[in-house]
Amino acid sequence: MSATLEANRPASTIKKVGNTEREVPHHSQKASKWYPAEDESQPKKVRKTIRPTRLRPSLTPGTILILLAGRFRGKRVVLLRHLSQGVLLVTGPFKVNGVPLRRVNSRYVIATSSKVDLSGIDEKTVDKVAGDGYFARDKGKKGKKGEEEFFAQGEKPEKKRPSSARAADQKTIDKALITTIKKEPHMIQYLGSSFSLRKGDKPHEMRW
């Protein structure tokens, strides 16, 4: 293929300038004097190879985690399942410490040695929650503001409430989880307490 292209390429001419010879390319090979007004977008070359996420061996379903960042930092939660790209599906349960079903990054959690049995949880509900579009935000209609919206700009916006379907899924998972947790002594109190460090504490010497 390359040999055919070389044969079809127009030959350049050799021009003598003084005592030297200079090769002059064919007019079809010369650079264009004109260029487009708008730059054509070219795909960015990514040199990094996408590798599968390797989770820590301690992050197994049922393990109690401590959240290190976000709105619920310091709270203890139960790991339900691994999701794609190093994301974890966790729950408080909500009735115990107020943490709902949510996704967290595996980098910002501490895995403890405590575990909870997940055998009584409905797997179909967990599969539904672990779906790609479950936590997707609803796209609101963007358009011109009406008269009512214009005069309501100074008022406080209404609080977003979870949908009835999400609340039902939360209750289904938490009901089975709390039943298992109550069988373990002091587990409810452990999950309800928040983790914090005080002056003089040495995290590297702590046993999680």
Side-chain angles (χ1 to χ4, degrees):
M1 185 70 181
S2 59
T4 308
L5 290 173
E6 289 289 336
N8 295 334
R9 186 177 295 175
S12 56
T13 57
I14 297 173
K15 188 176 182 181
K16 192 172 183 180
V17 180
N19 297 329
T20 60
E21 292 182 350
R22 188 176 298 174
E23 187 177 357
V24 180
H26 193 264
H27 66 86
S28 61
Q29 298 177 352
K30 291 182 180 179
S32 177
K33 294 182 180 180
W34 309 100
Y35 58 91
E38 295 182 2
D39 295 335
E40 295 179 0
S41 59
Q42 296 180 354
K44 189 178 179 181
K45 294 181 180 179
V46 181
R47 294 182 180 179
K48 294 182 180 179
T49 55
I50 300 172
R51 299 175 182 174
T53 307
R54 292 183 181 179
L55 294 172
R56 286 170 276 169
S58 56
L59 295 175
T60 55
T63 305
I64 294 177
L65 311 176
I66 299 172
L67 302 181
L68 300 178
R71 178 183 171 190
F72 300 102
R73 59 183 175 274
K75 296 282 188 179
R76 292 179 171 90
V77 295
V78 180
L79 172 60
L80 297 177
R81 185 171 291 183
H82 298 154
L83 303 180
S84 59
Q85 298 178 357
V87 182
L88 309 174
L89 178 65
V90 300
T91 183
F94 183 76
K95 265 195 172 182
V96 177
N97 53 22
V99 182
L101 287 163
R102 62 188 290 110
R103 299 171 299 176
V104 295
N105 195 322
S106 59
R107 293 185 179 184
Y108 303 108
V109 297
I110 296 175
T112 66
S113 57
S114 303
K115 288 190 176 184
V116 177
D117 186 17
L118 302 179
S119 58
I121 295 179
D122 186 14
E123 288 295 328
K124 290 183 180 179
T125 309
V126 177
D127 291 340
K128 178 185 173 185
V129 176
D132 295 334
Y134 189 82
F135 292 98
R137 294 183 180 179
D138 296 332
K139 294 182 180 179
K141 294 180 180 178
K142 293 182 180 180
K144 294 182 179 179
K145 293 184 178 179
E147 188 177 349
E148 295 179 2
E149 294 178 357
F150 177 79
F151 286 106
Q153 284 181 357
E155 299 177 5
K156 292 182 179 179
E158 294 181 3
K159 291 184 178 180
K160 293 182 179 179
R161 296 182 180 180
S163 62
S164 56
R166 279 200 188 186
D169 295 337
Q170 182 79 57
K171 288 178 181 178
T172 304
I173 293 174
D174 286 1
K175 186 179 179 181
L177 197 58
I178 290 172
T179 304
T180 309
I181 290 170
K182 284 181 178 179
K183 295 177 182 178
E184 298 287 335
H186 310 295
M187 186 60 75
I188 289 282
Q189 292 81 359
Y190 177 68
L191 286 169
S193 62
S194 296
F195 171 79
S196 62
L197 292 173
R198 297 180 181 178
K199 188 177 180 181
D201 289 344
K202 299 177 181 178
H204 60 283
E205 294 182 359
M206 292 182 179
R207 184 181 176 186
W208 307 99

PDB file of all heavy atoms in Angstrom, residues 71 155-163:
ATOM      1  N   ARG A  71     -20.986  15.058  53.055  1.00  0.00           N
ATOM      2  CA  ARG A  71     -21.983  15.546  54.011  1.00  0.00           C
ATOM      3  C   ARG A  71     -22.055  14.687  55.266  1.00  0.00           C
ATOM      4  O   ARG A  71     -22.302  15.186  56.354  1.00  0.00           O
ATOM      5  CB  ARG A  71     -23.339  15.577  53.297  1.00  0.00           C
ATOM      6  CG  ARG A  71     -24.493  16.017  54.162  1.00  0.00           C
ATOM      7  CD  ARG A  71     -25.782  15.932  53.382  1.00  0.00           C
ATOM      8  NE  ARG A  71     -26.936  16.144  54.217  1.00  0.00           N
ATOM      9  CZ  ARG A  71     -28.185  15.948  53.835  1.00  0.00           C
ATOM     10  NH1 ARG A  71     -28.422  15.523  52.607  1.00  0.00           N
ATOM     11  NH2 ARG A  71     -29.201  16.159  54.648  1.00  0.00           N
ATOM     12  N   GLU A 155     -37.947  34.467  47.010  1.00  0.00           N
ATOM     13  CA  GLU A 155     -38.440  33.494  47.982  1.00  0.00           C
ATOM     14  C   GLU A 155     -37.504  32.293  48.066  1.00  0.00           C
ATOM     15  O   GLU A 155     -36.756  31.996  47.161  1.00  0.00           O
ATOM     16  CB  GLU A 155     -39.844  33.024  47.575  1.00  0.00           C
ATOM     17  CG  GLU A 155     -40.873  34.144  47.535  1.00  0.00           C
ATOM     18  CD  GLU A 155     -42.216  33.650  47.057  1.00  0.00           C
ATOM     19  OE1 GLU A 155     -42.342  32.419  46.856  1.00  0.00           O
ATOM     20  OE2 GLU A 155     -43.125  34.476  46.882  1.00  0.00           O
ATOM     21  N   LYS A 156     -37.577  31.604  49.203  1.00  0.00           N
ATOM     22  CA  LYS A 156     -36.746  30.420  49.405  1.00  0.00           C
ATOM     23  C   LYS A 156     -37.271  29.272  48.539  1.00  0.00           C
ATOM     24  O   LYS A 156     -38.471  29.010  48.521  1.00  0.00           O
ATOM     25  CB  LYS A 156     -36.749  30.002  50.877  1.00  0.00           C
ATOM     26  CG  LYS A 156     -36.049  31.002  51.786  1.00  0.00           C
ATOM     27  CD  LYS A 156     -36.040  30.491  53.222  1.00  0.00           C
ATOM     28  CE  LYS A 156     -35.324  31.478  54.134  1.00  0.00           C
ATOM     29  NZ  LYS A 156     -35.330  31.001  55.545  1.00  0.00           N
ATOM     30  N   PRO A 157     -36.377  28.584  47.850  1.00  0.00           N
ATOM     31  CA  PRO A 157     -36.831  27.457  47.011  1.00  0.00           C
ATOM     32  C   PRO A 157     -37.311  26.291  47.874  1.00  0.00           C
ATOM     33  O   PRO A 157     -36.852  26.092  48.998  1.00  0.00           O
ATOM     34  CB  PRO A 157     -35.585  27.071  46.214  1.00  0.00           C
ATOM     35  CG  PRO A 157     -34.446  27.550  47.050  1.00  0.00           C
ATOM     36  CD  PRO A 157     -34.937  28.781  47.763  1.00  0.00           C
ATOM     37  N   GLU A 158     -38.241  25.536  47.317  1.00  0.00           N
ATOM     38  CA  GLU A 158     -38.760  24.384  48.049  1.00  0.00           C
ATOM     39  C   GLU A 158     -37.696  23.297  48.172  1.00  0.00           C
ATOM     40  O   GLU A 158     -36.917  23.072  47.262  1.00  0.00           O
ATOM     41  CB  GLU A 158     -39.995  23.811  47.320  1.00  0.00           C
ATOM     42  CG  GLU A 158     -41.178  24.761  47.305  1.00  0.00           C
ATOM     43  CD  GLU A 158     -42.374  24.141  46.609  1.00  0.00           C
ATOM     44  OE1 GLU A 158     -42.276  22.957  46.208  1.00  0.00           O
ATOM     45  OE2 GLU A 158     -43.396  24.820  46.468  1.00  0.00           O
ATOM     46  N   LYS A 159     -37.684  22.635  49.321  1.00  0.00           N
ATOM     47  CA  LYS A 159     -36.711  21.573  49.558  1.00  0.00           C
ATOM     48  C   LYS A 159     -37.027  20.365  48.675  1.00  0.00           C
ATOM     49  O   LYS A 159     -38.180  19.975  48.528  1.00  0.00           O
ATOM     50  CB  LYS A 159     -36.723  21.156  51.027  1.00  0.00           C
ATOM     51  CG  LYS A 159     -36.176  22.216  51.966  1.00  0.00           C
ATOM     52  CD  LYS A 159     -36.137  21.698  53.389  1.00  0.00           C
ATOM     53  CE  LYS A 159     -35.550  22.747  54.323  1.00  0.00           C
ATOM     54  NZ  LYS A 159     -35.510  22.262  55.721  1.00  0.00           N
ATOM     55  N   LYS A 160     -35.968  19.805  48.103  1.00  0.00           N
ATOM     56  CA  LYS A 160     -36.144  18.622  47.269  1.00  0.00           C
ATOM     57  C   LYS A 160     -36.374  17.406  48.154  1.00  0.00           C
ATOM     58  O   LYS A 160     -35.583  17.133  49.061  1.00  0.00           O
ATOM     59  CB  LYS A 160     -34.919  18.410  46.382  1.00  0.00           C
ATOM     60  CG  LYS A 160     -34.731  19.485  45.325  1.00  0.00           C
ATOM     61  CD  LYS A 160     -33.533  19.182  44.459  1.00  0.00           C
ATOM     62  CE  LYS A 160     -33.353  20.251  43.385  1.00  0.00           C
ATOM     63  NZ  LYS A 160     -32.165  19.976  42.540  1.00  0.00           N
ATOM     64  N   ARG A 161     -37.441  16.723  47.912  1.00  0.00           N
ATOM     65  CA  ARG A 161     -37.767  15.538  48.687  1.00  0.00           C
ATOM     66  C   ARG A 161     -37.552  14.290  47.835  1.00  0.00           C
ATOM     67  O   ARG A 161     -37.789  14.312  46.632  1.00  0.00           O
ATOM     68  CB  ARG A 161     -39.223  15.597  49.163  1.00  0.00           C
ATOM     69  CG  ARG A 161     -39.489  16.761  50.120  1.00  0.00           C
ATOM     70  CD  ARG A 161     -40.920  16.744  50.586  1.00  0.00           C
ATOM     71  NE  ARG A 161     -41.198  17.834  51.506  1.00  0.00           N
ATOM     72  CZ  ARG A 161     -42.378  18.053  52.075  1.00  0.00           C
ATOM     73  NH1 ARG A 161     -43.413  17.257  51.775  1.00  0.00           N
ATOM     74  NH2 ARG A 161     -42.537  19.058  52.916  1.00  0.00           N
ATOM     75  N   PRO A 162     -37.089  13.210  48.474  1.00  0.00           N
ATOM     76  CA  PRO A 162     -36.875  11.976  47.696  1.00  0.00           C
ATOM     77  C   PRO A 162     -38.180  11.413  47.172  1.00  0.00           C
ATOM     78  O   PRO A 162     -39.235  11.569  47.784  1.00  0.00           O
ATOM     79  CB  PRO A 162     -36.220  11.032  48.714  1.00  0.00           C
ATOM     80  CG  PRO A 162     -36.625  11.558  50.046  1.00  0.00           C
ATOM     81  CD  PRO A 162     -36.750  13.045  49.885  1.00  0.00           C
ATOM     82  N   SER A 163     -38.117  10.755  46.043  1.00  0.00           N
ATOM     83  CA  SER A 163     -39.318  10.179  45.449  1.00  0.00           C
ATOM     84  C   SER A 163     -39.830   9.027  46.301  1.00  0.00           C
ATOM     85  O   SER A 163     -39.108   8.436  47.111  1.00  0.00           O
ATOM     86  CB  SER A 163     -39.013   9.688  44.035  1.00  0.00           C
ATOM     87  OG  SER A 163     -38.025   8.678  44.080  1.00  0.00           O
TER      88      SER A 163
END
